[in-house]
Amino acid sequence: MSVATVILIHTIISLIAIVAGIVVMFGMLGSKRQDGLTTIFLVFTILTSATGFVIPPFLSEKLLPSHMIGILSLILLAIACIALYVMKLAGPWRWIYVLTALVSLYLNVFVLVIQSFLKVPFLHALAPSVPPAEPPFAVAQGVVLVFFVIMIIGVWRRFRPA
């Protein structure tokens, strides 16, 4: 399989994970369990992190920031799966699930913003350094971070599974 094909598959998996995760996150604001969509979100987010390790320059001899994000995401997702499927969101496992699942979604969106500034010509023109470091990139990442902090707090307060 060519590198371009692997990257395309990884990108599709990532976008499915992000869309499913955002729908699940908004559902949690209304205490709505969306079991099937939640499974899709978790499985595809795990696949996103796992497939990311086979994309160059991930196949390198040194530990890269992308490796650290992937490792952190996989750890968070393992905890989220335990909280949801093993502990059934009982007691403190509800907030542990909310935090780990939504932080892993945030990390996926964080990487989406980075990749958008690297690959989308209009955005790349606003922040041409690699990795992006200009003010438009910082503002975009800041907006994403604030959005997720607000959403995580909102979901933490409102999500009450049946």
Side-chain angles (χ1 to χ4, degrees):
M1 191 178 308
S2 73
V3 172
T5 302
V6 171
I7 291 171
L8 177 62
I9 291 168
H10 172 77
T11 302
I12 291 168
I13 289 169
S14 299
L15 292 174
I16 291 168
I18 289 169
V19 170
I22 289 171
V23 173
V24 167
M25 178 175 63
F26 279 103
M28 288 193 301
L29 271 176
S31 287
K32 294 178 184 166
R33 290 269 315 248
Q34 302 168 340
D35 295 334
L37 201 53
T38 298
T39 301
I40 290 170
F41 158 61
L42 292 170
V43 167
F44 276 78
T45 306
I46 290 166
L47 287 172
T48 296
S49 294
T51 60
F53 285 103
V54 298
I55 297 173
F58 281 17
L59 298 173
S60 68
E61 293 184 16
K62 64 180 182 172
L63 194 62
L64 300 172
S66 53
H67 291 123
M68 297 304 295
I69 291 172
I71 291 166
L72 177 58
S73 183
L74 287 171
I75 291 167
L76 291 169
L77 290 161
I79 295 167
C81 288
I82 291 167
L84 179 61
Y85 297 115
V86 177
M87 304 311 291
K88 308 290 186 198
L89 305 178
W93 291 100
R94 178 191 61 84
W95 69 262
I96 292 169
Y97 168 71
V98 166
L99 186 63
T100 56
L102 296 185
V103 170
S104 68
L105 175 59
Y106 163 73
L107 291 173
N108 220 359
V109 173
F110 175 83
V111 171
L112 174 66
V113 172
I114 293 170
Q115 290 301 316
S116 295
F117 273 87
L118 290 173
K119 306 276 194 298
V120 176
F122 168 76
L123 293 174
H124 188 69
L126 295 174
S129 64
V130 177
E134 291 77 10
F137 172 75
V139 168
Q141 289 291 23
V143 168
V144 168
L145 177 61
V146 168
F147 171 77
F148 271 91
V149 167
I150 291 168
M151 291 301 292
I152 290 169
I153 292 168
V155 169
W156 177 75
R157 289 182 175 168
R158 295 180 184 171
F159 182 55
R160 302 283 184 255

